[in-house]
Amino acid sequence: MSLEALQTQITACRACPRLVAWREQVGREKRAAYRHAEYWAKPVPGFGDFGARILIFGLAPGAHGSNRTGRPFTGDASGDFLYPALYRAGLASQPTSSHPGDGLELHGVYITAAVRCAPPGNKPSPQEIATCAAWTRQELAYLQNLKVYLALGRIAHQALLEYHGLRRSAHPFAHGSEYHLGERVLLSSYHVSRQNTQTGKLTAAMFDAILERAKSLADSS
Ligand code: SF4
């Protein structure tokens, strides 16, 4: 099976009843600003460069962001922060992304998340994270050139540790933390959520520095 075929398979997943109900409810009820939009309301698979050396690993789709558009980090404040940063770093062909097919290409980067369906309150349960890890294992198996995991937030960081069978207590999350996991490096950042970027917990300069570090690690390993 190809990675494209796996992505298509992911979009049909209904393994987490609570998340299936929520993603579809949000898609029916919509936010007023998007009342004329047709929501994706399905699992959001990864996208990007299949030969990527850097994996950007998020938490889960935003209810009115990628649960609406079908592309990770697209259509909400997280994407409005992430894509300009990727463009400044030379990792994206354009500084914005509004929907799949908008012309955006990622260079050396693939984006996916620990959980592929929008969770209520942006909080997936441990069981839902564990269930969706099966897709992570399959998706990452196709990305043979990866050198750097860039985890956005603590849950993404912990999910990648789980993927490698490593204990959380031995590898605590911190902004800028780095751990060598075999031939790959786990680099972590505060999540690019509005909650962090609008409070100044994560600034554009801080995230630019993280991306430069990711590029440096990808080039040196
Ligand atoms: Fe399937 Fe993952 Fe969505 Fe659960 S979160 S229904 S495992 S795609």
Side-chain angles (χ1 to χ4, degrees):
M1 183 167 59
S2 66
L3 181 49
E4 289 103 327
L6 176 68
Q7 291 171 332
T8 301
Q9 198 176 331
I10 288 172
T11 65
C13 181
R14 302 181 67 83
C16 305
R18 187 182 78 115
L19 301 190
V20 170
W22 178 247
R23 77 192 191 203
E24 294 178 356
Q25 179 185 336
V26 169
R28 282 192 304 275
E29 296 179 354
K30 307 180 182 181
R31 176 176 282 171
Y34 306 124
R35 62 188 179 282
H36 298 306
E38 182 164 348
Y39 275 52
W40 173 253
K42 290 182 282 199
V44 179
F47 92 106
D49 184 344
F50 290 4
R53 292 166 70 83
I54 300 172
L55 176 78
I56 296 182
F57 199 65
L59 166 60
H64 300 281
S66 52
N67 186 54
R68 175 172 55 87
T69 67
R71 171 182 278 174
F73 292 105
T74 295
D76 60 14
S78 295
D80 292 344
F81 184 91
L82 176 65
Y83 288 112
L86 292 177
Y87 181 70
R88 288 193 298 274
L91 298 171
S93 63
Q94 59 190 47
T96 59
S97 179
S98 57
H99 58 275
D102 63 5
L104 173 70
E105 289 182 16
L106 299 180
H107 305 310
V109 172
Y110 189 88
I111 302 178
T112 193
V115 172
R116 290 161 181 76
C117 295
N122 290 324
K123 288 200 175 105
S125 71
Q127 179 60 54
E128 289 157 353
I129 295 169
T131 303
C132 212
W135 290 125
T136 298
R137 279 193 289 279
Q138 292 189 60
E139 210 171 12
L140 296 201
Y142 285 92
L143 303 171
Q144 295 290 327
N145 295 334
L146 286 183
K147 299 292 181 190
V148 180
Y149 302 126
L150 172 50
L152 301 183
R154 184 183 306 276
I155 291 176
H157 172 96
Q158 292 175 344
L160 287 166
L161 291 175
E162 296 278 340
Y163 172 72
H164 279 269
L166 295 170
R167 287 188 301 125
R168 298 176 181 183
S169 57
H171 308 83
F173 169 81
H175 179 77
S177 62
E178 291 180 20
Y179 298 102
H180 286 263
L181 313 180
E183 294 182 345
R184 296 176 181 171
V185 178
L186 171 59
L187 169 67
S188 295
S189 166
Y190 293 135
H191 194 277
V192 294
S193 66
R194 182 196 298 266
Q195 187 183 3
N196 288 338
T197 58
Q198 292 204 338
T199 58
K201 183 173 182 179
L202 179 65
T203 65
M206 288 167 67
F207 197 66
D208 286 349
I210 287 281
L211 290 178
E212 287 305 314
R213 181 63 182 153
K215 285 165 54 181
S216 170
L217 289 166
D219 289 343
S220 65
S221 50

mmCIF file of all heavy atoms in Angstrom, residues 4-32:
data_model
loop_
_atom_site.group_PDB
_atom_site.id
_atom_site.type_symbol
_atom_site.label_atom_id
_atom_site.label_comp_id
_atom_site.label_asym_id
_atom_site.label_seq_id
_atom_site.Cartn_x
_atom_site.Cartn_y
_atom_site.Cartn_z
ATOM 1 N N GLU A 4 -0.265 7.429 0.115
ATOM 2 C CA GLU A 4 -1.545 8.046 -0.294
ATOM 3 C C GLU A 4 -2.724 7.127 0.041
ATOM 4 O O GLU A 4 -3.764 7.581 0.522
ATOM 5 C CB GLU A 4 -1.575 8.340 -1.800
ATOM 6 C CG GLU A 4 -0.674 9.464 -2.235
ATOM 7 C CD GLU A 4 0.580 8.915 -2.875
ATOM 8 O OE1 GLU A 4 1.030 7.821 -2.449
ATOM 9 O OE2 GLU A 4 1.117 9.578 -3.765
ATOM 10 N N ALA A 5 -2.554 5.827 -0.222
ATOM 11 C CA ALA A 5 -3.639 4.879 0.065
ATOM 12 C C ALA A 5 -3.886 4.796 1.569
ATOM 13 O O ALA A 5 -5.032 4.696 2.024
ATOM 14 C CB ALA A 5 -3.293 3.507 -0.502
ATOM 15 N N LEU A 6 -2.806 4.846 2.354
ATOM 16 C CA LEU A 6 -2.979 4.841 3.813
ATOM 17 C C LEU A 6 -3.740 6.087 4.262
ATOM 18 O O LEU A 6 -4.642 6.008 5.106
ATOM 19 C CB LEU A 6 -1.616 4.782 4.507
ATOM 20 C CG LEU A 6 -1.684 4.860 6.033
ATOM 21 C CD1 LEU A 6 -2.322 3.606 6.629
ATOM 22 C CD2 LEU A 6 -0.305 5.103 6.637
ATOM 23 N N GLN A 7 -3.388 7.226 3.703
ATOM 24 C CA GLN A 7 -4.087 8.471 4.076
ATOM 25 C C GLN A 7 -5.581 8.355 3.785
ATOM 26 O O GLN A 7 -6.421 8.786 4.579
ATOM 27 C CB GLN A 7 -3.476 9.660 3.330
ATOM 28 C CG GLN A 7 -2.069 10.008 3.800
ATOM 29 C CD GLN A 7 -1.390 11.032 2.908
ATOM 30 O OE1 GLN A 7 -1.683 11.128 1.724
ATOM 31 N NE2 GLN A 7 -0.468 11.777 3.471
ATOM 32 N N THR A 8 -5.912 7.758 2.655
ATOM 33 C CA THR A 8 -7.327 7.568 2.312
ATOM 34 C C THR A 8 -7.995 6.629 3.311
ATOM 35 O O THR A 8 -9.128 6.862 3.758
ATOM 36 C CB THR A 8 -7.443 7.009 0.879
ATOM 37 O OG1 THR A 8 -6.838 7.936 -0.012
ATOM 38 C CG2 THR A 8 -8.896 6.789 0.485
ATOM 39 N N GLN A 9 -7.278 5.578 3.689
ATOM 40 C CA GLN A 9 -7.814 4.627 4.667
ATOM 41 C C GLN A 9 -8.064 5.319 6.010
ATOM 42 O O GLN A 9 -9.081 5.086 6.662
ATOM 43 C CB GLN A 9 -6.799 3.486 4.823
ATOM 44 C CG GLN A 9 -7.355 2.232 5.437
ATOM 45 C CD GLN A 9 -6.305 1.123 5.469
ATOM 46 O OE1 GLN A 9 -5.402 1.066 4.633
ATOM 47 N NE2 GLN A 9 -6.414 0.252 6.431
ATOM 48 N N ILE A 10 -7.134 6.187 6.416
ATOM 49 C CA ILE A 10 -7.276 6.900 7.686
ATOM 50 C C ILE A 10 -8.560 7.724 7.699
ATOM 51 O O ILE A 10 -9.267 7.782 8.706
ATOM 52 C CB ILE A 10 -6.034 7.798 7.936
ATOM 53 C CG1 ILE A 10 -4.819 6.935 8.284
ATOM 54 C CG2 ILE A 10 -6.312 8.824 9.046
ATOM 55 C CD1 ILE A 10 -3.497 7.706 8.350
ATOM 56 N N THR A 11 -8.886 8.338 6.588
ATOM 57 C CA THR A 11 -10.056 9.235 6.569
ATOM 58 C C THR A 11 -11.368 8.494 6.810
ATOM 59 O O THR A 11 -12.387 9.133 7.073
ATOM 60 C CB THR A 11 -10.156 10.019 5.245
ATOM 61 O OG1 THR A 11 -10.400 9.110 4.178
ATOM 62 C CG2 THR A 11 -8.904 10.830 4.988
ATOM 63 N N ALA A 12 -11.347 7.170 6.736
ATOM 64 C CA ALA A 12 -12.573 6.396 6.961
ATOM 65 C C ALA A 12 -12.650 5.832 8.382
ATOM 66 O O ALA A 12 -13.605 5.126 8.721
ATOM 67 C CB ALA A 12 -12.650 5.254 5.944
ATOM 68 N N CYS A 13 -11.670 6.144 9.229
ATOM 69 C CA CYS A 13 -11.599 5.515 10.556
ATOM 70 C C CYS A 13 -12.734 6.015 11.465
ATOM 71 O O CYS A 13 -13.038 7.197 11.522
ATOM 72 C CB CYS A 13 -10.247 5.822 11.184
ATOM 73 S SG CYS A 13 -10.037 5.053 12.818
ATOM 74 N N ARG A 14 -13.318 5.085 12.213
ATOM 75 C CA ARG A 14 -14.382 5.405 13.178
ATOM 76 C C ARG A 14 -14.116 4.671 14.495
ATOM 77 O O ARG A 14 -15.038 4.271 15.208
ATOM 78 C CB ARG A 14 -15.753 5.004 12.620
ATOM 79 C CG ARG A 14 -16.080 5.671 11.286
ATOM 80 C CD ARG A 14 -17.450 5.285 10.745
ATOM 81 N NE ARG A 14 -18.530 5.800 11.561
ATOM 82 C CZ ARG A 14 -19.024 7.029 11.458
ATOM 83 N NH1 ARG A 14 -18.525 7.885 10.573
ATOM 84 N NH2 ARG A 14 -20.000 7.422 12.237
ATOM 85 N N ALA A 15 -12.841 4.534 14.843
ATOM 86 C CA ALA A 15 -12.486 3.697 15.997
ATOM 87 C C ALA A 15 -12.787 4.340 17.345
ATOM 88 O O ALA A 15 -12.857 3.629 18.351
ATOM 89 C CB ALA A 15 -11.000 3.317 15.913
ATOM 90 N N CYS A 16 -12.926 5.659 17.406
ATOM 91 C CA CYS A 16 -13.134 6.347 18.692
ATOM 92 C C CYS A 16 -14.542 6.959 18.695
ATOM 93 O O CYS A 16 -14.742 8.041 18.122
ATOM 94 C CB CYS A 16 -12.099 7.450 18.887
ATOM 95 S SG CYS A 16 -10.394 6.892 18.747
ATOM 96 N N PRO A 17 -15.514 6.303 19.335
ATOM 97 C CA PRO A 17 -16.910 6.761 19.235
ATOM 98 C C PRO A 17 -17.109 8.211 19.679
ATOM 99 O O PRO A 17 -17.855 8.957 19.039
ATOM 100 C CB PRO A 17 -17.653 5.791 20.161
ATOM 101 C CG PRO A 17 -16.762 4.599 20.275
ATOM 102 C CD PRO A 17 -15.358 5.088 20.113
ATOM 103 N N ARG A 18 -16.460 8.626 20.762
ATOM 104 C CA ARG A 18 -16.654 9.993 21.257
ATOM 105 C C ARG A 18 -16.171 11.015 20.225
ATOM 106 O O ARG A 18 -16.813 12.042 19.987
ATOM 107 C CB ARG A 18 -15.882 10.165 22.577
ATOM 108 C CG ARG A 18 -16.129 11.493 23.276
ATOM 109 C CD ARG A 18 -15.281 11.596 24.532
ATOM 110 N NE ARG A 18 -13.894 11.923 24.238
ATOM 111 C CZ ARG A 18 -13.286 13.051 24.597
ATOM 112 N NH1 ARG A 18 -13.952 13.960 25.290
ATOM 113 N NH2 ARG A 18 -12.024 13.260 24.302
ATOM 114 N N LEU A 19 -15.035 10.741 19.599
ATOM 115 C CA LEU A 19 -14.472 11.689 18.632
ATOM 116 C C LEU A 19 -15.249 11.678 17.313
ATOM 117 O O LEU A 19 -15.405 12.721 16.675
ATOM 118 C CB LEU A 19 -12.989 11.390 18.387
ATOM 119 C CG LEU A 19 -12.090 11.453 19.627
ATOM 120 C CD1 LEU A 19 -10.622 11.394 19.225
ATOM 121 C CD2 LEU A 19 -12.363 12.695 20.455
ATOM 122 N N VAL A 20 -15.725 10.513 16.927
ATOM 123 C CA VAL A 20 -16.545 10.447 15.710
ATOM 124 C C VAL A 20 -17.793 11.307 15.907
ATOM 125 O O VAL A 20 -18.168 12.123 15.046
ATOM 126 C CB VAL A 20 -16.927 8.985 15.389
ATOM 127 C CG1 VAL A 20 -17.972 8.938 14.278
ATOM 128 C CG2 VAL A 20 -15.688 8.184 14.999
ATOM 129 N N ALA A 21 -18.436 11.164 17.071
ATOM 130 C CA ALA A 21 -19.655 11.936 17.340
ATOM 131 C C ALA A 21 -19.361 13.433 17.354
ATOM 132 O O ALA A 21 -20.117 14.233 16.791
ATOM 133 C CB ALA A 21 -20.252 11.489 18.674
ATOM 134 N N TRP A 22 -18.240 13.826 17.986
ATOM 135 C CA TRP A 22 -17.906 15.246 18.112
ATOM 136 C C TRP A 22 -17.534 15.865 16.777
ATOM 137 O O TRP A 22 -18.035 16.936 16.403
ATOM 138 C CB TRP A 22 -16.768 15.427 19.124
ATOM 139 C CG TRP A 22 -16.331 16.847 19.286
ATOM 140 C CD1 TRP A 22 -15.135 17.391 18.924
ATOM 141 C CD2 TRP A 22 -17.088 17.928 19.862
ATOM 142 N NE1 TRP A 22 -15.099 18.721 19.221
ATOM 143 C CE2 TRP A 22 -16.279 19.081 19.799
ATOM 144 C CE3 TRP A 22 -18.368 18.024 20.405
ATOM 145 C CZ2 TRP A 22 -16.716 20.314 20.267
ATOM 146 C CZ3 TRP A 22 -18.798 19.258 20.873
ATOM 147 C CH2 TRP A 22 -17.971 20.386 20.807
ATOM 148 N N ARG A 23 -16.668 15.192 16.019
ATOM 149 C CA ARG A 23 -16.226 15.783 14.742
ATOM 150 C C ARG A 23 -17.430 15.986 13.821
ATOM 151 O O ARG A 23 -17.499 16.979 13.090
ATOM 152 C CB ARG A 23 -15.135 14.902 14.087
ATOM 153 C CG ARG A 23 -15.661 13.643 13.414
ATOM 154 C CD ARG A 23 -14.607 12.629 13.011
ATOM 155 N NE ARG A 23 -15.215 11.620 12.170
ATOM 156 C CZ ARG A 23 -14.750 10.392 11.977
ATOM 157 N NH1 ARG A 23 -13.634 9.996 12.588
ATOM 158 N NH2 ARG A 23 -15.360 9.546 11.177
ATOM 159 N N GLU A 24 -18.389 15.042 13.862
ATOM 160 C CA GLU A 24 -19.546 15.136 12.971
ATOM 161 C C GLU A 24 -20.554 16.165 13.481
ATOM 162 O O GLU A 24 -21.173 16.885 12.687
ATOM 163 C CB GLU A 24 -20.170 13.748 12.794
ATOM 164 C CG GLU A 24 -19.215 12.811 12.044
ATOM 165 C CD GLU A 24 -19.732 11.391 11.851
ATOM 166 O OE1 GLU A 24 -20.829 11.086 12.378
ATOM 167 O OE2 GLU A 24 -19.028 10.594 11.195
ATOM 168 N N GLN A 25 -20.694 16.249 14.808
ATOM 169 C CA GLN A 25 -21.593 17.269 15.378
ATOM 170 C C GLN A 25 -21.099 18.673 15.028
ATOM 171 O O GLN A 25 -21.866 19.544 14.609
ATOM 172 C CB GLN A 25 -21.670 17.096 16.895
ATOM 173 C CG GLN A 25 -22.564 18.128 17.579
ATOM 174 C CD GLN A 25 -22.522 17.993 19.104
ATOM 175 O OE1 GLN A 25 -22.221 16.920 19.629
ATOM 176 N NE2 GLN A 25 -22.810 19.074 19.796
ATOM 177 N N VAL A 26 -19.790 18.894 15.203
ATOM 178 C CA VAL A 26 -19.205 20.202 14.858
ATOM 179 C C VAL A 26 -19.428 20.494 13.376
ATOM 180 O O VAL A 26 -19.758 21.619 12.981
ATOM 181 C CB VAL A 26 -17.699 20.226 15.209
ATOM 182 C CG1 VAL A 26 -17.016 21.458 14.628
ATOM 183 C CG2 VAL A 26 -17.508 20.158 16.711
ATOM 184 N N GLY A 27 -19.294 19.470 12.547
ATOM 185 C CA GLY A 27 -19.472 19.638 11.112
ATOM 186 C C GLY A 27 -20.905 19.979 10.725
ATOM 187 O O GLY A 27 -21.136 20.662 9.724
ATOM 188 N N ARG A 28 -21.842 19.493 11.512
ATOM 189 C CA ARG A 28 -23.255 19.814 11.226
ATOM 190 C C ARG A 28 -23.624 21.198 11.750
ATOM 191 O O ARG A 28 -24.284 21.980 11.086
ATOM 192 C CB ARG A 28 -24.176 18.783 11.894
ATOM 193 C CG ARG A 28 -24.299 17.462 11.190
ATOM 194 C CD ARG A 28 -25.449 16.636 11.765
ATOM 195 N NE ARG A 28 -25.339 16.425 13.199
ATOM 196 C CZ ARG A 28 -24.639 15.450 13.775
ATOM 197 N NH1 ARG A 28 -23.990 14.594 13.013
ATOM 198 N NH2 ARG A 28 -24.572 15.335 15.084
ATOM 199 N N GLU A 29 -23.185 21.481 12.989
ATOM 200 C CA GLU A 29 -23.622 22.725 13.639
ATOM 201 C C GLU A 29 -22.830 23.932 13.144
ATOM 202 O O GLU A 29 -23.356 25.036 13.092
ATOM 203 C CB GLU A 29 -23.512 22.559 15.158
ATOM 204 C CG GLU A 29 -24.456 21.465 15.670
ATOM 205 C CD GLU A 29 -24.367 21.249 17.160
ATOM 206 O OE1 GLU A 29 -23.491 21.852 17.812
ATOM 207 O OE2 GLU A 29 -25.181 20.463 17.677
ATOM 208 N N LYS A 30 -21.562 23.772 12.873
ATOM 209 C CA LYS A 30 -20.670 24.797 12.305
ATOM 210 C C LYS A 30 -20.548 26.030 13.206
ATOM 211 O O LYS A 30 -21.329 26.217 14.121
ATOM 212 C CB LYS A 30 -21.127 25.220 10.899
ATOM 213 C CG LYS A 30 -21.319 24.047 9.974
ATOM 214 C CD LYS A 30 -21.761 24.476 8.594
ATOM 215 C CE LYS A 30 -21.983 23.234 7.728
ATOM 216 N NZ LYS A 30 -22.394 23.560 6.373
ATOM 217 N N ARG A 31 -19.556 26.817 12.914
ATOM 218 C CA ARG A 31 -19.405 28.137 13.535
ATOM 219 C C ARG A 31 -20.060 29.138 12.582
ATOM 220 O O ARG A 31 -20.007 28.945 11.360
ATOM 221 C CB ARG A 31 -17.916 28.432 13.729
ATOM 222 C CG ARG A 31 -17.613 29.794 14.270
ATOM 223 C CD ARG A 31 -16.119 29.962 14.508
ATOM 224 N NE ARG A 31 -15.672 29.307 15.736
ATOM 225 C CZ ARG A 31 -14.404 29.152 16.095
ATOM 226 N NH1 ARG A 31 -13.453 29.608 15.316
ATOM 227 N NH2 ARG A 31 -14.085 28.554 17.227
ATOM 228 N N ALA A 32 -20.636 30.207 13.145
ATOM 229 C CA ALA A 32 -21.393 31.152 12.315
ATOM 230 C C ALA A 32 -20.570 31.653 11.129
ATOM 231 O O ALA A 32 -21.080 31.759 10.004
ATOM 232 C CB ALA A 32 -21.861 32.321 13.174
#
